[in-house]
Amino acid sequence: MVRFVFAGGGLFFFIFALQIIKSGARAVVPLLDNLDIAGPVNSLGFGWLAAYLALSGSPVAAIGTTLLAGGVLNEHEAFAVIGGSRLGASFIVLAVGYALYIGGKRSPDGLSIGVVALLTTFSTQGPAVILGLVSLHYGWLDSVQFTPPRGMLDWIDTVYGHPVDLLNDALPAALVFVTGIGVLLGSFALFDRALPQLEAGSPGFEKNLRRLDSKWLMFAMGCAVTSMTLSVSISLTLLVPLSLKGYLRRDQVIPYVMGANITTFIDTLAGALVLGGASAFTVVLTEMVSVGIVSGLVLLFAYPIYSRAILAVAGKVTHNQKNLGMFLAVIVAVPLALLLV
């Protein structure tokens, strides 16, 4: 019963946050102008770095969708922000692995899992962003639309319209936007409290993991766990303790991450429906389809070569502190360069 309360509260405040952010979106325009963010390249770097700072991609993706609905970003820019949020979301795995490493667990496995997750995300999300931008340009998915019932949108206006108006009257637009981000983060925290504890110490969970020795089963598991947690950061973080305890091999992480990077957009897609914008729905759907196509092609036709390459590079990166430091410098420098180019 308590979990249902937290889930209901999370959903309520998630919708509330989207309405607040949309209302305060005009305050972001000066910030984007000062950073000179224009076009998909800048937007990709912005979303990427924002996900690093938030240690999560879902809030950044939700903000990108909301800014599109508010007219601050166009479709290509919003798509790039959402794509960048995926590129930065996997950083949490490396951060957790590093924290465990310096905290006394001297095994480098946690670091290696984080690097494998990042490399898998970079190598699939990069082509997916290009494919998605091409799709948006030619309108390949424009005919695929889902319009929420008018009564649903009327209900949202009835429930949230007055509280949002009160915030607009009481606060400057910039603080309205910041308040919306705070409410959004709070809604995800409530969702977390509502979720079953998928901990590494669960005997049943670990027993089932031993059976998942197929790339397709691990892919399905990544999809399923992320669908339940609504956060790729949470589902990928589970990989670190499971790997440290020997329940997962590094090669099993790769298809899991691919699956997680697809279903992590479920909450963003729901947010697009709530906002009621056809373009927002198309942008998020394009992201999901693009990532799914790239991951599917790799799994079907190139997985042995691909997995060996990912593991070889990860091994080089974690071989010593110098290599790891260079890797960290590169993955920060690239989105920064995209932001400033």
Side-chain angles (χ1 to χ4, degrees):
M1 180 63 183
V2 174
R3 293 191 188 280
F4 285 108
V5 173
F6 281 122
L11 178 61
F12 178 87
F13 285 107
F14 176 73
I15 299 174
F16 188 31
L18 294 180
Q19 303 307 309
I20 297 173
I21 293 173
K22 181 178 179 180
S23 179
R26 64 184 184 277
V28 182
V29 176
L31 172 62
L32 298 180
D33 288 341
N34 291 334
L35 292 175
D36 198 23
I37 296 177
V41 174
N42 290 159
S43 300
L44 182 67
F46 177 75
W48 193 339
L49 289 174
Y52 279 168
L53 295 175
L55 291 178
S56 178
S58 293
V60 179
I63 291 170
T65 305
T66 310
L67 292 178
L68 170 63
V72 177
L73 301 176
N74 61 38
E75 287 189 0
H76 292 78
E77 291 168 340
F79 176 86
V81 169
I82 296 170
S85 75
R86 296 305 98 201
L87 289 166
S90 297
F91 182 75
I92 182 64
V93 189
L94 184 59
V96 172
Y98 184 73
L100 292 174
Y101 179 73
I102 65 174
K105 295 183 180 293
R106 292 299 173 182
S107 169
D109 285 348
L111 292 176
S112 182
I113 292 300
V115 174
V116 168
L118 282 168
L119 291 174
T120 302
T121 299
F122 294 160
S123 57
T124 53
Q125 185 65 39
V129 168
I130 297 173
L131 176 61
L133 289 174
V134 173
S135 175
L136 288 174
H137 178 75
Y138 289 102
W140 291 341
L141 294 177
D142 286 353
S143 60
V144 182
Q145 294 292 336
F146 180 84
T147 304
R150 184 62 202 173
M152 172 184 171
L153 299 181
D154 290 341
W155 174 82
I156 291 173
D157 290 338
T158 301
V159 174
Y160 298 103
H162 185 59
V164 171
D165 290 340
L166 290 177
L167 285 174
N168 285 328
D169 293 339
L171 300 173
L175 287 181
V176 172
F177 186 81
V178 172
T179 300
I181 295 176
V183 176
L184 183 65
L185 294 174
S187 71
F188 282 114
L190 288 174
F191 277 128
D192 291 345
R193 297 287 298 274
L195 297 171
Q197 297 302 308
L198 302 175
E199 297 177 351
S202 171
F205 188 56
E206 293 171 352
K207 181 179 179 181
N208 289 330
L209 279 177
R210 298 177 192 272
R211 303 171 181 169
L212 298 178
D213 201 28
S214 160
K215 62 183 180 181
W216 294 110
L217 286 175
M218 287 304 297
F219 178 79
M221 182 178 174
C223 291
V225 174
T226 309
S227 297
M228 289 187 291
T229 61
L230 295 178
S231 172
V232 74
S233 300
I234 297 172
S235 65
L236 293 188
T237 302
L238 287 171
L239 298 174
V240 176
L242 291 173
S243 175
L244 289 173
K245 296 183 69 174
Y247 294 111
L248 284 180
R249 299 190 311 271
R250 296 174 189 180
D251 61 305
Q252 291 176 297
V253 171
I254 297 173
Y256 180 99
V257 173
M258 288 181 176
N261 283 338
I262 297 173
T263 55
T264 187
F265 292 106
I266 289 177
D267 59 337
T268 311
L269 189 65
L273 292 175
V274 168
L275 292 170
S279 60
F281 178 85
T282 300
V283 164
V284 180
L285 180 64
T286 299
E287 181 71 40
M288 294 183 71
V289 171
S290 299
V291 176
I293 289 175
V294 172
S295 298
L297 290 175
V298 170
L299 288 171
L300 282 171
F301 302 111
Y303 184 72
I305 297 175
Y306 174 84
S307 61
R308 285 196 297 267
I310 291 291
L311 294 176
V313 174
K316 292 287 186 182
V317 169
T318 57
H319 180 67
N320 54 50
Q321 291 186 355
K322 179 182 178 181
N323 289 354
L324 181 60
M326 292 177 61
F327 177 75
L328 292 174
V330 169
I331 66 174
V332 172
V334 170
L336 186 61
L338 293 174
L339 178 63
L340 299 177
V341 68

